Amino acid sequence: MGDSRGPGRPLPAYGGHAAQLFDDTIEPSALGFTSEPNKAPRGDTLLRERTQVGDAAMHVRVVTVTLRNEGSGRTWQMGLHSLETLAGAHPPASDFTVQVEATDPAAGLLRAFEARLIGMTFVAFVREFGGADPNEGSRWHFHLAHDDKDEIDAVRSASALGRLR
């Protein structure tokens, strides 16, 4: 889980618009599926907002995918390794884990791709959120996008625009 908050860094609760931005999903285009015409990442307002309000935008590699069957149902733990921090002031450690519940948008893709995801690279937009219960600890929520030059350039551009404000 997260350890980047440091002393005095308040963590927001997960919900509302932030849950739409950090929606625990993998874009189908990041896995080679295209259902819509390619839109230029530089014009993607959600990419810009994720970059500017997230704790970090990072180039990551999937190192582990673990399925856990617990009393509350299936969950996947996806171990990610940061190859490069592209933007953000509060990136997680270079090796960190995100959790995907059976009801999260990425669950279907994880169910279908599980082990094939290992070694794949993505652009990850991450933000740490506090739990509803203060004893619960924090959790990284994410959005994984296609790893290509246009996406990375768009993140760097969005980050630069955010610093100008």
Side-chain angles (χ1 to χ4, degrees):
M1 306 283 167
D3 193 12
S4 69
R5 63 181 152 195
R9 179 172 174 230
L11 296 176
Y14 186 67
H17 186 58
Q20 293 171 333
L21 293 174
F22 303 95
D23 52 2
D24 297 337
T25 195
I26 303 170
E27 292 179 4
S29 64
L31 297 170
F33 300 113
T34 55
S35 59
E36 59 187 51
N38 284 345
K39 56 182 179 182
R42 223 176 256 269
D44 185 346
T45 57
L46 290 176
L47 177 146
R48 187 176 314 118
E49 191 173 2
R50 285 182 181 110
T51 300
Q52 293 174 357
V53 303
D55 286 330
M58 309 163 72
H59 187 208
V60 300
R61 173 175 286 117
V62 177
V63 292
T64 60
V65 177
T66 306
L67 171 62
R68 298 175 67 183
N69 285 307
E70 299 173 335
S72 60
R74 286 181 162 185
T75 61
W76 287 266
Q77 305 285 321
M78 194 166 30
L80 302 174
H81 174 74
S82 174
L83 301 170
E84 179 183 7
T85 298
L86 304 169
H90 301 284
S94 61
D95 290 299
F96 65 104
T97 302
V98 295
Q99 182 173 308
V100 177
E101 306 289 337
T103 56
D104 290 338
L109 291 172
L110 280 169
R111 192 173 14 262
F113 283 86
E114 274 188 50
R116 288 181 284 175
L117 290 171
I118 295 171
M120 292 183 79
T121 57
F122 299 94
V123 172
F125 301 89
V126 296
R127 187 164 180 193
E128 187 178 18
F129 291 89
D133 175 358
N135 298 323
E136 197 175 294
S138 64
R139 179 174 161 196
W140 290 102
H141 287 274
F142 66 94
H143 181 93
L144 297 183
H146 188 57
D147 167 28
D148 69 5
K149 182 181 180 330
D150 290 342
E151 188 85 17
I152 290 170
D153 288 348
V155 168
R156 288 187 171 128
S157 176
S159 177
L161 285 172
R163 287 191 302 268
L164 291 175
R165 292 184 176 173

